[in-house]
Amino acid sequence: MDGELVPWDEAKVHVLVHGLHYGSGVFEGIRAYPTERGPAVFRLRDHMKRLYQSAHLLMMDPPFSIDELCEATKETIRANDIDSCYIRPLIYRGYNTLGVNPLPCPVDAMILVWEWDAYLGPEALEKGVAVKISSWTRSAPNTFPAMAKSVANYANSGLIKMEAVADGYSEGIALDTTGQLSEGSGQNLFLVRDHTLYTPPVAASILPGITRDTIMVLAKDLGLTVVEQALPREMTYVADEMFFVGTAVEVTPITSVDRIQIGNGKCGPVTRAIQEAYFDYVNGKTPDRHGWLTYVNA
């Protein structure tokens, strides 16, 4: 917290921090994976660069440099002596005065790590998940900065998630304000048709995901064509395969949408190939040809 290691139970903030009341904070989700060379953080610097971008969009000047945040992440993992973990950096407006204007409040930072298994459950990566099209849409352009991974934006995500769970689904897919596909509550979306990957564009109010970018690169490495374009809702019902991607969800197959089966109702061959390529890379089983692994003990 703000440059000092703090025991978990002592990591506290004042009840009047601006971020708690008005959502003036930005964050990242990052993972470290076990490899033969010890824990390796996947695309650490790319995540911290996006954290800086998010802070810039909310007019916050982070108190630490990208290099300092990367080193602090490695230090925190070493201090906890774990090989695999989820990493949560958070930059937020702290305590000064309580009012909508965040500018008088200081900008604080923290980095947390903890052990975390599969986000949608232990069987989701293998068997896939059932999802629904949410009644909640993503924010319209020029309302919230969708390109920022901001705390405030995730109120919308929470509504999507709660509605899906209440209706018996694992997740929801949101549409944008034009009725085109956007993303999940906290995941980017890919569809497969005739061995071509389709994904909604940044203009569809999506967060430009680091894992999304990773999958686009790995798919091309596998010889697959990747197309970014506006996608209508009904594309989900006629897709050969579908899957979510994200740091938390990793690469999770989608087997049905609105109780309409996708493909054969199982993890498809393209999804499986991408899933295997992803896990081989993050676990250091294939050469780090893109420079995405940061070894904690290097």
Side-chain angles (χ1 to χ4, degrees):
M1 296 186 71
D2 293 320
E4 295 185 7
L5 286 169
V6 177
W8 183 273
D9 291 339
E10 297 175 21
K12 300 175 182 178
V13 297
H14 196 278
V15 293
L16 287 181
V17 296
H18 196 273
L20 177 62
H21 292 265
Y22 298 109
S24 52
V26 297
F27 68 98
E28 279 296 318
I30 315 171
R31 277 191 189 264
Y33 289 88
T35 75
E36 291 183 352
R37 294 172 54 186
V41 186
F42 188 63
R43 300 193 67 169
L44 174 59
R45 190 169 186 85
D46 291 328
H47 278 284
M48 291 306 184
K49 286 171 66 177
R50 189 175 64 179
L51 182 69
Y52 249 66
Q53 172 184 284
S54 297
H56 180 71
L57 288 169
L58 268 66
M59 299 178 65
M60 292 192 296
D61 186 15
F64 302 99
S65 69
I66 291 175
D67 286 342
E68 288 173 322
L69 291 171
C70 290
E71 285 302 315
T73 299
K74 293 161 63 177
E75 180 185 4
T76 308
I77 295 171
R78 287 194 295 263
N80 283 277
D81 192 25
I82 48 180
D83 290 329
S84 175
C85 63
Y86 183 82
I87 305 157
R88 170 53 55 85
L90 176 68
I91 295 174
Y92 61 100
R93 292 280 183 178
Y95 169 58
N96 182 276
T97 59
L98 191 63
V100 173
N101 179 16
L103 295 176
C105 299
V107 178
D108 295 325
M110 67 174 77
I111 299 173
L112 305 89
V113 304
W114 64 89
E115 295 177 302
W116 205 14
D117 294 327
Y119 176 67
L120 294 178
E123 295 185 344
L125 293 171
E126 177 65 27
K127 296 184 177 181
V129 293
V131 306
K132 65 168 290 183
I133 302 296
S134 180
S135 68
W136 295 98
T137 62
R138 281 303 191 196
S139 301
N142 213 32
T143 54
F144 294 95
M147 289 182 66
K149 194 173 177 71
S150 78
V151 174
N153 290 5
Y154 279 75
N156 176 253
S157 299
L159 292 168
I160 294 166
K161 180 70 173 184
M162 289 188 291
E163 178 187 69
V165 171
D167 289 347
Y169 298 89
S170 295
E171 264 296 347
I173 296 173
L175 306 179
D176 67 15
T177 55
T178 69
Q180 306 296 312
L181 293 175
S182 181
E183 60 183 358
S185 67
Q187 314 89 359
N188 290 123
L189 178 68
F190 283 87
L191 293 79
V192 181
R193 277 179 63 89
D194 299 323
H195 293 275
T196 296
L197 265 64
Y198 295 88
T199 191
V202 173
S205 294
I206 69 165
L207 179 75
I210 304 295
T211 310
R212 174 181 180 269
D213 177 73
T214 299
I215 296 310
M216 294 171 73
V217 172
L218 294 180
K220 292 174 183 176
D221 288 348
L222 292 170
L224 297 166
T225 300
V226 181
V227 178
E228 292 181 85
Q229 68 176 51
L231 299 169
R233 170 180 179 164
E234 57 267 29
M235 277 284 285
T236 64
Y237 306 135
V238 297
D240 299 326
E241 304 174 39
M242 288 180 59
F243 55 93
F244 280 134
V245 303
T247 296
V249 79
E250 298 169 306
V251 181
T252 296
I254 298 170
T255 52
S256 69
V257 179
D258 295 335
R259 296 193 169 88
I260 297 175
Q261 180 174 296
I262 305 303
N264 63 4
K266 300 178 181 179
C267 180
V270 174
T271 304
R272 181 70 70 201
I274 290 173
Q275 194 181 63
E276 290 175 355
Y278 178 79
F279 283 114
D280 283 348
Y281 202 115
V282 299
N283 287 290
K285 294 180 179 179
T286 57
D288 185 13
R289 56 193 178 277
H290 300 295
W292 286 340
L293 299 179
T294 298
Y295 291 94
V296 172
N297 298 320

